[in-house]
Amino acid sequence: MNTQTDNGLLQAYEFLKIGDPARAKPLLEDRLEDDLENGEILFSIRCVNFWIDQIAQMHSIISPFDRGERLMLSWKHFITDIAGKDGARYERSMYAVRKGIFSLALENFKPQMEDHHPMKKADAYRKAGLCYKELGEYETALECLSEANSLLESTIMITDSAAVLAEMADCYALCGQDNYAKVLFREAFFIGAAKVDLVFLSSELIVRLIDIVKQKGYSKEELQEWIPVYGVLYGVLNIKRQLRAQEVGKLKQAIYTLENELKDPAGDPQILIPRLINHYFWLIDHYVTVNDDRSKINETLLKIKLLDENVYNQYTL
């Protein structure tokens, strides 16, 4: 890459960093004329064309929060369908796009952080925390996510905290605090695996686990339910905590409900089996922690064996 081409790219990236792909486009096209086969320029133009259209559509949305939400949805589409595997190859371009889009999204989420409605406020703090995480400001991200979690704990929508806890865990992992990350990831996938948005998790700790489970052929909601199971089997989610008496009662009730749902012909075993196995893991951990009767552990192990013998064999090795 010659100096003129590189300087043109850098100028284009500065516009991308402030969320202005329209001004970046002519600079990139000008540089492409001098270097027609430059992969980085071609990738950057692909990114720019996508975001020019998305940002133009966003301007027709009245609510700032909804504009931020639209950007987040567009990012998920961008990562999976537009950038794809090329995103890892062209880090400078991806960094510039990420900085611009999440800075724009953050500005649109901030007004609702002053809302008096706990759920709306929690949602805004969660989305702001996610933006700060993507921008590399992990301490600020954790402050926002902690506030979101506190607000959710005061409501009945406790399963909504699964996404918040997962993003907090991701922050801790990105900061090198793996023990905190493991506890929170385990908690998040237990509370509500389906609520965890895998697209926005980027730490090596969780990404490698997700890849392992994908390689086993699982996808979509089924994938999310199996992640905590394999997290235990492969020793990734190996930091545990002692349950409170009230939590033990809720765990046993949840297991009873899941067992009945699995017996129901209308139940979905692809979702219910991994979810139930994960609940059994938590119950066994509780029995071990309080040094309960070994017969209770054996009874639970037998239930796991009947659901999935391969999981049982790996778990009892």
Side-chain angles (χ1 to χ4, degrees):
M1 185 182 296
N2 60 47
T3 303
Q4 184 180 11
T5 298
D6 200 44
N7 287 339
L9 268 176
L10 293 176
Q11 290 173 25
Y13 289 160
E14 290 305 311
F15 285 122
L16 285 174
K17 287 176 186 177
I18 60 172
D20 196 346
R23 293 175 71 185
K25 185 174 181 178
L27 289 169
L28 292 168
E29 291 176 336
D30 185 48
R31 297 282 69 80
L32 186 63
E33 290 180 5
D34 300 323
D35 197 353
L36 292 173
E37 295 184 2
N38 188 299
E40 186 173 359
I41 297 174
L42 290 168
F43 175 75
S44 298
I45 289 174
R46 190 200 313 168
C47 297
V48 159
N49 286 337
F50 174 81
W51 285 110
I52 287 174
D53 180 56
Q54 298 302 310
I55 291 172
Q57 292 180 39
M58 182 194 76
H59 289 317
S60 65
I61 301 172
I62 297 173
S63 162
F65 185 85
D66 289 344
R67 288 199 295 269
E69 285 274 75
R70 176 57 184 267
L71 284 169
M72 301 289 257
L73 287 172
S74 296
W75 181 263
K76 292 171 71 171
H77 176 42
F78 171 71
I79 286 293
T80 55
D81 301 328
I82 307 300
K85 293 181 180 179
D86 288 339
R89 295 175 58 194
Y90 303 114
E91 292 182 4
R92 292 195 305 176
S93 181
M94 284 297 294
Y95 172 78
V97 174
R98 180 180 289 104
K99 184 173 177 61
I101 298 307
F102 283 98
S103 295
L104 280 177
L106 179 60
E107 290 308 309
N108 282 287
F109 289 133
K110 280 182 176 179
Q112 192 162 297
M113 293 169 75
E114 304 301 321
D115 201 290
H116 295 294
H117 190 284
M119 287 298 295
K120 289 183 178 180
K121 191 171 184 177
D123 203 14
Y125 267 98
R126 180 216 156 185
K127 297 294 170 54
L130 200 157
C131 289
Y132 280 120
K133 178 169 74 74
E134 292 291 334
L135 293 169
E137 299 181 38
Y138 302 132
E139 289 187 11
T140 307
L142 282 168
E143 290 174 5
C144 290
L145 293 167
S146 296
E147 178 64 20
N149 192 48
S150 296
L151 288 163
L152 287 171
E153 285 179 347
S154 67
T155 74
I156 60 171
M157 302 299 290
I158 189 64
T159 56
D160 286 356
S161 65
V164 178
L165 292 174
E167 285 147 18
M168 288 176 69
D170 205 37
C171 280
Y172 280 119
L174 289 164
C175 292
Q177 299 186 56
D178 283 359
N179 283 353
Y180 285 119
K182 289 178 178 183
V183 170
L184 291 177
F185 273 132
R186 190 165 183 264
E187 197 87 20
F189 281 99
F190 175 73
I191 292 171
K195 296 278 187 177
V196 177
D197 200 333
L198 303 184
V199 172
F200 291 111
L201 301 179
S202 56
S203 61
E204 185 179 3
L205 186 153
I206 195 66
V207 168
R208 287 179 64 186
L209 177 58
I210 293 168
D211 286 343
I212 287 170
V213 183
K214 281 182 178 178
Q215 288 168 17
K216 296 185 178 296
Y218 300 115
S219 61
K220 299 182 179 178
E221 189 176 351
E222 187 183 6
L223 166 71
Q224 289 171 248
E225 297 292 344
W226 278 107
I227 285 171
V229 174
Y230 282 99
V232 170
L233 296 179
Y234 285 92
V236 179
L237 304 183
N238 58 354
I239 307 297
K240 303 159 187 178
R241 67 172 180 84
Q242 186 168 349
L243 297 178
R244 297 183 292 272
Q246 185 180 19
E247 290 178 310
V248 175
K250 288 182 178 180
L251 173 61
K252 290 179 178 179
Q253 180 59 49
I255 288 173
Y256 176 78
T257 300
L258 288 169
E259 288 173 340
N260 284 327
E261 287 178 6
L262 190 57
K263 293 173 187 175
D264 188 335
D268 185 352
Q270 291 184 319
I271 301 301
L272 293 171
I273 286 175
R275 188 178 294 171
L276 188 50
I277 289 172
N278 190 38
H279 277 64
Y280 286 149
F281 284 170
W282 278 71
L283 186 59
I284 290 171
D285 289 340
H286 166 68
Y287 288 149
V288 171
T289 300
V290 300
N291 198 28
D292 212 325
D293 193 318
R294 178 69 199 185
S295 63
K296 293 182 180 179
I297 296 174
N298 291 336
E299 180 185 349
T300 310
L301 285 171
L302 179 59
K303 289 181 177 182
I304 293 173
K305 186 175 184 178
L306 292 171
L307 288 178
D308 192 310
E309 192 163 355
N310 287 331
V311 169
Y312 169 82
N313 290 334
Q314 290 183 67
Y315 186 68
T316 55
L317 278 177

